[in-house]
Amino acid sequence: MKIKTILLLFLFLNFYFSCTIKERFGPELPLPTNTGAGIMACKVNGQIWYTDGSTLFDGANVQADLVSNTLKLKGIKYNYDQSGYNNTSSWDRIYIVVNSVNNTGTFQIAGNNHGTYEKSGNTNNYVIYKTDSTYSGGYINITTFDSMKKILSGNFQFKAKNSNGNDEVLITEGQFDIKY
């Protein structure tokens, strides 16, 4: 019986880690959690964007720093080619900075609080989209602030534009669940 259990566990883990994120969660965002699961997910211009707490090269794909009541939340998604190869020269990153965070609550992404979306392609093209004063309605809502377990979770959305001002990105249905 013990061998069967170990074999089933091995098969499940093999399947789980061999699947892409899209295969694991399907065409929808994962359900929100508040356990410090190490995830960040959203829709970028309507397309699902997801990264989890697994690590590649220089650290976690999802990271939160809370220092002097300033929250810095970032998630990076490495893009894969059709064979499943991790092409680390192609990635997308979401970065949110919010001040005066010391409990749960909704914080507007405006002024000193800001959001960015960065995209780096295989051919060294790099684009950064930033929030600015012309866009309103962006927010981060912290629903779990557990200073004992060091867990932050919540949701977010914002709109940002590139430095030329000729293109924008809409981040919607954002969620995060991370230990800091």
Side-chain angles (χ1 to χ4, degrees), residues 51-77:
T51 188
D52 60 20
S54 60
T55 58
L56 292 173
F57 306 109
D58 63 348
N61 292 346
V62 182
Q63 187 176 22
D65 295 313
L66 184 61
V67 178
S68 300
N69 295 338
T70 297
L71 173 63
K72 295 178 181 178
L73 177 66
K74 74 174 180 179
I76 188 166
K77 178 180 74 101

PDB file of all heavy atoms in Angstrom, residues 51-77:
ATOM      1  N   THR A  51       2.382  34.091 -12.546  1.00  0.00           N
ATOM      2  CA  THR A  51       3.672  33.582 -12.109  1.00  0.00           C
ATOM      3  C   THR A  51       3.518  33.072 -10.684  1.00  0.00           C
ATOM      4  O   THR A  51       2.640  33.510  -9.951  1.00  0.00           O
ATOM      5  CB  THR A  51       4.787  34.643 -12.221  1.00  0.00           C
ATOM      6  OG1 THR A  51       6.039  34.023 -11.967  1.00  0.00           O
ATOM      7  CG2 THR A  51       4.557  35.800 -11.291  1.00  0.00           C
ATOM      8  N   ASP A  52       4.370  32.120 -10.324  1.00  0.00           N
ATOM      9  CA  ASP A  52       4.255  31.535  -8.986  1.00  0.00           C
ATOM     10  C   ASP A  52       5.571  31.660  -8.242  1.00  0.00           C
ATOM     11  O   ASP A  52       6.495  32.296  -8.698  1.00  0.00           O
ATOM     12  CB  ASP A  52       3.788  30.080  -9.055  1.00  0.00           C
ATOM     13  CG  ASP A  52       4.735  29.193  -9.833  1.00  0.00           C
ATOM     14  OD1 ASP A  52       5.916  29.564 -10.006  1.00  0.00           O
ATOM     15  OD2 ASP A  52       4.302  28.131 -10.277  1.00  0.00           O
ATOM     16  N   GLY A  53       5.641  31.046  -7.092  1.00  0.00           N
ATOM     17  CA  GLY A  53       6.787  31.195  -6.205  1.00  0.00           C
ATOM     18  C   GLY A  53       8.001  30.366  -6.563  1.00  0.00           C
ATOM     19  O   GLY A  53       8.974  30.344  -5.823  1.00  0.00           O
ATOM     20  N   SER A  54       7.968  29.673  -7.692  1.00  0.00           N
ATOM     21  CA  SER A  54       9.149  28.908  -8.068  1.00  0.00           C
ATOM     22  C   SER A  54      10.294  29.856  -8.381  1.00  0.00           C
ATOM     23  O   SER A  54      10.082  31.016  -8.686  1.00  0.00           O
ATOM     24  CB  SER A  54       8.848  28.012  -9.271  1.00  0.00           C
ATOM     25  OG  SER A  54       8.449  28.796 -10.375  1.00  0.00           O
ATOM     26  N   THR A  55      11.512  29.357  -8.291  1.00  0.00           N
ATOM     27  CA  THR A  55      12.658  30.233  -8.502  1.00  0.00           C
ATOM     28  C   THR A  55      13.408  29.859  -9.767  1.00  0.00           C
ATOM     29  O   THR A  55      13.480  28.711 -10.154  1.00  0.00           O
ATOM     30  CB  THR A  55      13.628  30.170  -7.311  1.00  0.00           C
ATOM     31  OG1 THR A  55      14.041  28.817  -7.135  1.00  0.00           O
ATOM     32  CG2 THR A  55      12.977  30.678  -6.053  1.00  0.00           C
ATOM     33  N   LEU A  56      13.946  30.870 -10.396  1.00  0.00           N
ATOM     34  CA  LEU A  56      14.802  30.698 -11.568  1.00  0.00           C
ATOM     35  C   LEU A  56      15.985  31.643 -11.409  1.00  0.00           C
ATOM     36  O   LEU A  56      15.801  32.835 -11.209  1.00  0.00           O
ATOM     37  CB  LEU A  56      14.056  31.038 -12.855  1.00  0.00           C
ATOM     38  CG  LEU A  56      12.937  30.090 -13.256  1.00  0.00           C
ATOM     39  CD1 LEU A  56      12.190  30.674 -14.451  1.00  0.00           C
ATOM     40  CD2 LEU A  56      13.492  28.726 -13.633  1.00  0.00           C
ATOM     41  N   PHE A  57      17.163  31.120 -11.499  1.00  0.00           N
ATOM     42  CA  PHE A  57      18.387  31.899 -11.510  1.00  0.00           C
ATOM     43  C   PHE A  57      18.566  32.793 -10.287  1.00  0.00           C
ATOM     44  O   PHE A  57      19.068  32.363  -9.291  1.00  0.00           O
ATOM     45  CB  PHE A  57      18.518  32.683 -12.812  1.00  0.00           C
ATOM     46  CG  PHE A  57      18.399  31.799 -14.005  1.00  0.00           C
ATOM     47  CD1 PHE A  57      17.284  31.844 -14.815  1.00  0.00           C
ATOM     48  CD2 PHE A  57      19.375  30.862 -14.301  1.00  0.00           C
ATOM     49  CE1 PHE A  57      17.165  31.006 -15.902  1.00  0.00           C
ATOM     50  CE2 PHE A  57      19.255  30.011 -15.381  1.00  0.00           C
ATOM     51  CZ  PHE A  57      18.151  30.090 -16.187  1.00  0.00           C
ATOM     52  N   ASP A  58      18.079  34.044 -10.327  1.00  0.00           N
ATOM     53  CA  ASP A  58      18.426  34.998  -9.285  1.00  0.00           C
ATOM     54  C   ASP A  58      17.380  35.147  -8.187  1.00  0.00           C
ATOM     55  O   ASP A  58      17.426  36.087  -7.427  1.00  0.00           O
ATOM     56  CB  ASP A  58      18.718  36.363  -9.904  1.00  0.00           C
ATOM     57  CG  ASP A  58      17.520  36.958 -10.610  1.00  0.00           C
ATOM     58  OD1 ASP A  58      16.526  36.243 -10.825  1.00  0.00           O
ATOM     59  OD2 ASP A  58      17.581  38.152 -10.940  1.00  0.00           O
ATOM     60  N   GLY A  59      16.428  34.266  -8.061  1.00  0.00           N
ATOM     61  CA  GLY A  59      15.483  34.374  -6.953  1.00  0.00           C
ATOM     62  C   GLY A  59      14.065  34.066  -7.343  1.00  0.00           C
ATOM     63  O   GLY A  59      13.787  33.546  -8.405  1.00  0.00           O
ATOM     64  N   ALA A  60      13.164  34.399  -6.452  1.00  0.00           N
ATOM     65  CA  ALA A  60      11.755  34.076  -6.623  1.00  0.00           C
ATOM     66  C   ALA A  60      11.137  34.868  -7.764  1.00  0.00           C
ATOM     67  O   ALA A  60      11.520  35.996  -8.038  1.00  0.00           O
ATOM     68  CB  ALA A  60      11.006  34.353  -5.330  1.00  0.00           C
ATOM     69  N   ASN A  61      10.144  34.260  -8.397  1.00  0.00           N
ATOM     70  CA  ASN A  61       9.410  34.935  -9.460  1.00  0.00           C
ATOM     71  C   ASN A  61       8.419  35.945  -8.901  1.00  0.00           C
ATOM     72  O   ASN A  61       7.952  36.818  -9.606  1.00  0.00           O
ATOM     73  CB  ASN A  61       8.666  33.918 -10.317  1.00  0.00           C
ATOM     74  CG  ASN A  61       9.602  33.056 -11.125  1.00  0.00           C
ATOM     75  OD1 ASN A  61      10.784  33.366 -11.263  1.00  0.00           O
ATOM     76  ND2 ASN A  61       9.101  31.976 -11.657  1.00  0.00           N
ATOM     77  N   VAL A  62       8.051  35.800  -7.624  1.00  0.00           N
ATOM     78  CA  VAL A  62       7.159  36.730  -6.938  1.00  0.00           C
ATOM     79  C   VAL A  62       7.875  37.180  -5.670  1.00  0.00           C
ATOM     80  O   VAL A  62       8.415  36.358  -4.939  1.00  0.00           O
ATOM     81  CB  VAL A  62       5.820  36.060  -6.574  1.00  0.00           C
ATOM     82  CG1 VAL A  62       4.895  37.062  -5.916  1.00  0.00           C
ATOM     83  CG2 VAL A  62       5.168  35.443  -7.784  1.00  0.00           C
ATOM     84  N   GLN A  63       7.867  38.484  -5.432  1.00  0.00           N
ATOM     85  CA  GLN A  63       8.607  38.987  -4.287  1.00  0.00           C
ATOM     86  C   GLN A  63       7.894  40.201  -3.707  1.00  0.00           C
ATOM     87  O   GLN A  63       7.369  41.032  -4.453  1.00  0.00           O
ATOM     88  CB  GLN A  63      10.015  39.373  -4.728  1.00  0.00           C
ATOM     89  CG  GLN A  63      10.942  39.750  -3.627  1.00  0.00           C
ATOM     90  CD  GLN A  63      12.340  40.010  -4.165  1.00  0.00           C
ATOM     91  OE1 GLN A  63      12.533  40.305  -5.337  1.00  0.00           O
ATOM     92  NE2 GLN A  63      13.320  39.920  -3.301  1.00  0.00           N
ATOM     93  N   ALA A  64       7.878  40.296  -2.389  1.00  0.00           N
ATOM     94  CA  ALA A  64       7.333  41.475  -1.711  1.00  0.00           C
ATOM     95  C   ALA A  64       8.320  41.930  -0.660  1.00  0.00           C
ATOM     96  O   ALA A  64       8.885  41.122   0.067  1.00  0.00           O
ATOM     97  CB  ALA A  64       5.992  41.148  -1.061  1.00  0.00           C
ATOM     98  N   ASP A  65       8.540  43.218  -0.613  1.00  0.00           N
ATOM     99  CA  ASP A  65       9.358  43.834   0.431  1.00  0.00           C
ATOM    100  C   ASP A  65       8.492  44.878   1.119  1.00  0.00           C
ATOM    101  O   ASP A  65       7.844  45.691   0.450  1.00  0.00           O
ATOM    102  CB  ASP A  65      10.596  44.516  -0.165  1.00  0.00           C
ATOM    103  CG  ASP A  65      11.551  43.529  -0.804  1.00  0.00           C
ATOM    104  OD1 ASP A  65      11.842  42.502  -0.172  1.00  0.00           O
ATOM    105  OD2 ASP A  65      11.989  43.785  -1.937  1.00  0.00           O
ATOM    106  N   LEU A  66       8.481  44.858   2.427  1.00  0.00           N
ATOM    107  CA  LEU A  66       7.750  45.848   3.207  1.00  0.00           C
ATOM    108  C   LEU A  66       8.738  46.451   4.197  1.00  0.00           C
ATOM    109  O   LEU A  66       9.096  45.840   5.199  1.00  0.00           O
ATOM    110  CB  LEU A  66       6.567  45.200   3.933  1.00  0.00           C
ATOM    111  CG  LEU A  66       5.658  46.138   4.715  1.00  0.00           C
ATOM    112  CD1 LEU A  66       5.021  47.182   3.794  1.00  0.00           C
ATOM    113  CD2 LEU A  66       4.580  45.343   5.431  1.00  0.00           C
ATOM    114  N   VAL A  67       9.206  47.651   3.867  1.00  0.00           N
ATOM    115  CA  VAL A  67      10.202  48.335   4.680  1.00  0.00           C
ATOM    116  C   VAL A  67       9.703  49.749   4.946  1.00  0.00           C
ATOM    117  O   VAL A  67       9.342  50.472   4.007  1.00  0.00           O
ATOM    118  CB  VAL A  67      11.577  48.379   3.965  1.00  0.00           C
ATOM    119  CG1 VAL A  67      12.596  49.143   4.800  1.00  0.00           C
ATOM    120  CG2 VAL A  67      12.066  46.981   3.647  1.00  0.00           C
ATOM    121  N   SER A  68       9.674  50.124   6.218  1.00  0.00           N
ATOM    122  CA  SER A  68       9.219  51.461   6.619  1.00  0.00           C
ATOM    123  C   SER A  68       7.853  51.794   6.018  1.00  0.00           C
ATOM    124  O   SER A  68       7.640  52.886   5.492  1.00  0.00           O
ATOM    125  CB  SER A  68      10.245  52.526   6.225  1.00  0.00           C
ATOM    126  OG  SER A  68      11.478  52.270   6.844  1.00  0.00           O
ATOM    127  N   ASN A  69       6.954  50.819   6.045  1.00  0.00           N
ATOM    128  CA  ASN A  69       5.579  50.960   5.538  1.00  0.00           C
ATOM    129  C   ASN A  69       5.489  51.194   4.029  1.00  0.00           C
ATOM    130  O   ASN A  69       4.451  51.637   3.536  1.00  0.00           O
ATOM    131  CB  ASN A  69       4.814  52.052   6.280  1.00  0.00           C
ATOM    132  CG  ASN A  69       4.605  51.713   7.736  1.00  0.00           C
ATOM    133  OD1 ASN A  69       4.651  50.551   8.127  1.00  0.00           O
ATOM    134  ND2 ASN A  69       4.382  52.721   8.556  1.00  0.00           N
ATOM    135  N   THR A  70       6.553  50.924   3.291  1.00  0.00           N
ATOM    136  CA  THR A  70       6.512  50.989   1.830  1.00  0.00           C
ATOM    137  C   THR A  70       6.540  49.570   1.295  1.00  0.00           C
ATOM    138  O   THR A  70       7.477  48.822   1.556  1.00  0.00           O
ATOM    139  CB  THR A  70       7.695  51.796   1.266  1.00  0.00           C
ATOM    140  OG1 THR A  70       7.589  53.146   1.726  1.00  0.00           O
ATOM    141  CG2 THR A  70       7.692  51.788  -0.249  1.00  0.00           C
ATOM    142  N   LEU A  71       5.493  49.213   0.550  1.00  0.00           N
ATOM    143  CA  LEU A  71       5.375  47.895  -0.051  1.00  0.00           C
ATOM    144  C   LEU A  71       5.880  47.941  -1.478  1.00  0.00           C
ATOM    145  O   LEU A  71       5.457  48.783  -2.267  1.00  0.00           O
ATOM    146  CB  LEU A  71       3.916  47.425  -0.041  1.00  0.00           C
ATOM    147  CG  LEU A  71       3.618  46.132  -0.801  1.00  0.00           C
ATOM    148  CD1 LEU A  71       4.347  44.943  -0.185  1.00  0.00           C
ATOM    149  CD2 LEU A  71       2.119  45.884  -0.858  1.00  0.00           C
ATOM    150  N   LYS A  72       6.806  47.036  -1.794  1.00  0.00           N
ATOM    151  CA  LYS A  72       7.278  46.850  -3.162  1.00  0.00           C
ATOM    152  C   LYS A  72       6.938  45.421  -3.545  1.00  0.00           C
ATOM    153  O   LYS A  72       7.472  44.474  -2.976  1.00  0.00           O
ATOM    154  CB  LYS A  72       8.783  47.099  -3.262  1.00  0.00           C
ATOM    155  CG  LYS A  72       9.160  48.532  -2.959  1.00  0.00           C
ATOM    156  CD  LYS A  72      10.651  48.737  -3.020  1.00  0.00           C
ATOM    157  CE  LYS A  72      10.992  50.190  -2.682  1.00  0.00           C
ATOM    158  NZ  LYS A  72      12.443  50.404  -2.689  1.00  0.00           N
ATOM    159  N   LEU A  73       6.028  45.284  -4.493  1.00  0.00           N
ATOM    160  CA  LEU A  73       5.516  43.990  -4.919  1.00  0.00           C
ATOM    161  C   LEU A  73       5.889  43.780  -6.378  1.00  0.00           C
ATOM    162  O   LEU A  73       5.621  44.642  -7.214  1.00  0.00           O
ATOM    163  CB  LEU A  73       3.992  43.972  -4.750  1.00  0.00           C
ATOM    164  CG  LEU A  73       3.227  42.747  -5.184  1.00  0.00           C
ATOM    165  CD1 LEU A  73       3.583  41.554  -4.302  1.00  0.00           C
ATOM    166  CD2 LEU A  73       1.726  43.022  -5.115  1.00  0.00           C
ATOM    167  N   LYS A  74       6.559  42.637  -6.677  1.00  0.00           N
ATOM    168  CA  LYS A  74       6.907  42.394  -8.075  1.00  0.00           C
ATOM    169  C   LYS A  74       6.723  40.933  -8.411  1.00  0.00           C
ATOM    170  O   LYS A  74       6.874  40.045  -7.579  1.00  0.00           O
ATOM    171  CB  LYS A  74       8.321  42.855  -8.401  1.00  0.00           C
ATOM    172  CG  LYS A  74       9.420  41.974  -7.868  1.00  0.00           C
ATOM    173  CD  LYS A  74      10.772  42.446  -8.364  1.00  0.00           C
ATOM    174  CE  LYS A  74      11.879  41.568  -7.821  1.00  0.00           C
ATOM    175  NZ  LYS A  74      13.191  41.967  -8.278  1.00  0.00           N
ATOM    176  N   GLY A  75       6.352  40.720  -9.652  1.00  0.00           N
ATOM    177  CA  GLY A  75       6.244  39.375 -10.199  1.00  0.00           C
ATOM    178  C   GLY A  75       6.849  39.364 -11.586  1.00  0.00           C
ATOM    179  O   GLY A  75       6.691  40.323 -12.350  1.00  0.00           O
ATOM    180  N   ILE A  76       7.572  38.313 -11.889  1.00  0.00           N
ATOM    181  CA  ILE A  76       8.191  38.192 -13.210  1.00  0.00           C
ATOM    182  C   ILE A  76       7.789  36.857 -13.821  1.00  0.00           C
ATOM    183  O   ILE A  76       7.748  35.840 -13.141  1.00  0.00           O
ATOM    184  CB  ILE A  76       9.727  38.348 -13.147  1.00  0.00           C
ATOM    185  CG1 ILE A  76      10.326  38.405 -14.547  1.00  0.00           C
ATOM    186  CG2 ILE A  76      10.365  37.270 -12.290  1.00  0.00           C
ATOM    187  CD1 ILE A  76      11.762  38.894 -14.584  1.00  0.00           C
ATOM    188  N   LYS A  77       7.432  36.916 -15.094  1.00  0.00           N
ATOM    189  CA  LYS A  77       7.027  35.721 -15.815  1.00  0.00           C
ATOM    190  C   LYS A  77       8.008  35.507 -16.959  1.00  0.00           C
ATOM    191  O   LYS A  77       8.145  36.349 -17.840  1.00  0.00           O
ATOM    192  CB  LYS A  77       5.616  35.867 -16.378  1.00  0.00           C
ATOM    193  CG  LYS A  77       5.144  34.664 -17.182  1.00  0.00           C
ATOM    194  CD  LYS A  77       3.737  34.864 -17.716  1.00  0.00           C
ATOM    195  CE  LYS A  77       3.696  35.813 -18.845  1.00  0.00           C
ATOM    196  NZ  LYS A  77       3.603  35.304 -20.165  1.00  0.00           N
TER     197      LYS A  77
END
